[in-house]
Amino acid sequence: MPAKRKSGASSSKPQTKAAVPQPSFDQPKGVANWKEAALWLRARGIEDIECITPDFAGVPRGKMMPTSKFTGNTSLALPSALYRHTISGEYPDETANFRYEPRDSDLKLMPDLSTLSAVPWETDPTAQVICDVVGADGKEAPYTPRNVLKRVLSLYTERGWKPIVAPEIEFYLVAKNEDPDYPLYPPKGRSGRSIVGGQGYSIAGINEFDELIDDIYHFSEGQGLEIDTLIHEEGPAQLEINLRHGDPIALADQVFLFKRTIREAAMKHGIYATFMAKPMQGQPGSAMHIHQSVVDAKTGKNIFSLPNGDASPEFFHFIGGMQKYVPAGLVMMAPYVNSYRRLTPDMAAPVNTAWGYDNRTTAFRVPVSDAAARRVENRLPSSDANPYLALAASLAAGWLGMVNKVEPTAPTEDTANEGLIELPRGLLEAVALLEDAPDLADVLGAEFIGLYAGVKRAEFETFMQVISPWEREFLLLNV
């Protein structure tokens, strides 16, 4: 006979455990921890992962490895000399402020798992992750671009503030150019003809490159990158992508990845995408305009506006700081010899520190908006700038203005980019201003400024070794 059931014993009916919520891995970007990272990678069949970080130029540097190694607590290291070489690969001589680490010891890459995403243009399933950089002691390397921006943001946090930014990035599509002695020229579009200038906001100009733009959108969607709008700019085959506003680190990460994405999409179609500030003589340069506002970290309200909707003192002090400190930080927004070819009169680019309401000829423009969206657009950075450093310099200037209560000039109502030039005319002058700016050294870090200035001086010396066509044209037989 079957045994009697004991009093209080549970029913023989199988019991089901309460369902444990599982994280969704449908999102294209970002996980919370290493366990989720392993599941995210497995769900997509990812074979390899690129661990990348921006150098001073904003070039992705890092290591590629099999996914099993990445999730197996593998230590990732790069030499400290990575942040001491020029865009052309030279290593400058030491000076009082530019020093090499005596042992060239390792820096460690620390993956920021919130940036984990696919690499959609790769044929094999591949992922990428942006990494922070720390020293052997585990402390953040203070001179690396992402950490420089974080340092500036921490100063805002201490005041209970949170900056909000929205970059706009201009770039050119150009025909493949294998010989640097020859000028660049626009590629042929779907019509079979090279696009010409004067196509500002032209839908037909965008349609010339429909398939390429479709790939840009698809690649962006696959990485969780949000494009707000895309337009055709004034130059031949010059486009602009606007990003949605948000956290400065997140937006710098997006620009960092967007540049790579756009280059890869263009390469797929047999052309180049270039973010040079002035790639073609006689044509407009390419900018990276930065819209900036500051909100109260607790309430989320824009501190540039008073409760009645009027502009606040902080708004004017932010502009005053931009006017006072941006010239010294300009080399972080215009980092190459070529960058200063864009900042010239009569080329729709700023040449001084004027500001104005809805005035595109000024360096600092206040767009038309309601009180909640009141912001300042910095129109000085060029698209060749490292986004982390350009944002760091711009936000540092605004922070110094608010903290030191710097008053701005009167707003400019007329054309501001003609006549007097108040900004550095070249790279060396801009470097000297940065080195002689103690307030910026306090905010950005003296070690960073010493290394960055040393690299920029070395790049200028490399440039001086090249004889230009202008010199051969006008000096060869005339002097």
Side-chain angles (χ1 to χ4, degrees):
M1 294 179 66
K4 291 182 179 180
R5 191 170 13 150
K6 294 181 181 179
S7 176
S10 61
S11 167
S12 60
K13 184 178 179 180
Q15 299 295 304
T16 57
K17 294 182 178 180
V20 178
Q22 296 296 318
S24 171
F25 299 110
D26 294 335
Q27 74 275 17
K29 182 184 72 173
V31 294
N33 52 52
W34 282 99
K35 181 180 179 181
E36 288 189 15
L39 294 172
W40 189 96
L41 294 165
R42 190 180 307 131
R44 287 162 174 74
I46 300 295
E47 300 174 0
D48 300 301
I49 187 160
E50 301 170 349
C51 301
I52 57 176
T53 195
D55 66 4
F56 278 165
V59 174
R61 307 283 180 179
K63 293 185 175 182
M64 177 181 279
M65 66 182 63
T67 301
S68 58
K69 294 287 186 181
F70 176 72
T71 55
N73 200 27
T74 299
S75 179
L76 299 168
L78 293 174
S80 61
L82 180 70
Y83 295 96
R84 290 164 173 83
H85 68 70
T86 66
I87 189 68
S88 54
E90 284 90 12
Y91 290 89
D93 293 333
E94 287 191 328
T95 64
N97 296 321
F98 179 87
R99 311 295 296 180
Y100 290 94
E101 207 282 328
R103 297 173 298 159
D104 191 18
S105 56
D106 279 340
L107 297 172
K108 292 185 178 180
L109 295 176
M110 304 296 290
D112 181 345
L113 295 179
S114 70
T115 68
L116 181 65
S117 66
V119 183
W121 51 83
E122 290 287 356
T123 53
D124 294 327
T126 304
Q128 62 190 344
V129 65
I130 299 174
C131 300
D132 284 314
V133 181
V134 302
D137 57 3
K139 296 180 180 178
E140 290 186 343
Y143 50 82
T144 61
R146 211 165 184 254
N147 288 340
V148 171
L149 178 54
K150 285 186 174 183
R151 176 185 175 121
V152 174
L153 297 180
S154 71
L155 299 176
Y156 279 84
T157 301
E158 290 173 4
R159 299 270 174 168
W161 299 333
K162 179 178 175 58
I164 304 296
V165 301
E168 303 171 347
I169 312 108
E170 297 172 346
F171 61 96
Y172 274 91
L173 301 174
V174 296
K176 277 194 172 182
N177 178 284
E178 298 178 359
D179 189 336
D181 280 338
Y182 286 90
L184 301 174
Y185 59 91
K188 294 179 179 179
R190 66 175 186 172
S191 67
R193 304 180 68 180
S194 294
I195 195 167
V196 296
Q199 297 291 325
Y201 294 92
S202 165
I203 298 301
I206 293 176
N207 291 342
E208 282 288 314
F209 305 100
D210 267 347
E211 293 184 0
L212 165 58
I213 289 170
D214 284 346
D215 280 334
I216 290 175
Y217 277 115
H218 293 154
F219 287 168
S220 298
E221 184 179 352
Q223 298 170 86
L225 302 175
E226 292 188 79
I227 296 175
D228 194 16
T229 58
L230 185 147
I231 65 169
H232 196 290
E233 268 290 350
E234 288 296 327
Q238 185 187 31
L239 305 180
E240 176 184 285
I241 282 182
N242 299 335
L243 306 183
R244 298 188 65 181
H245 63 273
D247 173 76
I249 288 289
L251 268 298
D253 287 343
Q254 287 197 43
V255 176
F256 175 56
L257 296 177
F258 261 123
K259 285 188 172 184
R260 188 178 186 214
T261 298
I262 292 166
R263 287 194 190 96
E264 290 289 342
M267 204 82 72
K268 178 182 173 183
H269 292 267
I271 59 179
Y272 292 158
T274 180
F275 295 87
M276 282 179 65
K278 187 77 167 180
M280 288 188 278
Q281 183 175 322
Q283 297 296 340
S286 290
M288 182 175 66
H289 300 153
I290 302 171
H291 292 253
Q292 306 158 103
S293 60
V294 181
V295 301
D296 183 288
K298 290 183 178 179
T299 66
K301 292 184 177 179
N302 190 341
I303 71 168
F304 286 173
S305 297
L306 296 172
N308 66 0
D310 291 343
S312 68
E314 288 82 5
F315 169 73
F316 293 108
H317 294 153
F318 189 95
I319 294 173
M322 300 284 284
Q323 289 186 305
K324 181 175 181 178
Y325 297 105
V326 159
L330 185 64
V331 71
M332 297 168 64
M333 307 174 198
Y336 304 103
V337 173
N338 180 262
S339 309
Y340 298 86
R341 300 188 189 280
R342 168 181 163 260
L343 300 175
T344 57
D346 304 320
M347 289 306 296
V351 295
N352 50 47
T353 60
W355 75 280
Y357 295 99
D358 198 24
N359 188 339
R360 283 186 170 82
T361 69
T362 61
F364 312 120
R365 169 180 171 256
V366 179
V368 176
S369 71
D370 59 23
R374 181 173 275 118
R375 61 195 185 274
V376 180
E377 178 191 13
N378 182 355
R379 297 177 61 82
L380 282 170
S382 48
S383 62
D384 56 2
N386 180 322
Y388 301 92
L389 298 183
L391 283 168
S394 192
L395 292 173
W399 182 87
L400 284 167
M402 291 192 292
V403 169
N404 295 331
K405 295 180 169 51
V406 179
E407 295 294 338
T409 64
T412 299
E413 297 182 1
D414 299 323
T415 301
N417 58 352
E418 297 174 354
L420 182 64
I421 299 176
E422 299 174 338
L423 298 171
R425 293 307 312 272
L427 184 61
L428 281 188
E429 185 182 347
V431 170
L433 284 179
L434 179 65
E435 291 175 310
D436 193 30
D439 285 344
L440 281 179
D442 290 341
V443 174
L444 301 171
E447 185 177 13
F448 160 72
I449 288 178
L451 293 177
Y452 187 75
V455 166
K456 292 297 138 185
R457 288 186 182 279
E459 288 176 350
F460 178 81
E461 294 304 326
T462 302
F463 168 79
M464 290 299 289
Q465 296 173 16
V466 179
I467 309 303
S468 70
W470 185 94
E471 292 163 281
R472 289 190 290 269
E473 174 72 18
F474 296 105
L475 303 182
L476 181 65
L477 300 177
N478 291 332
V479 298

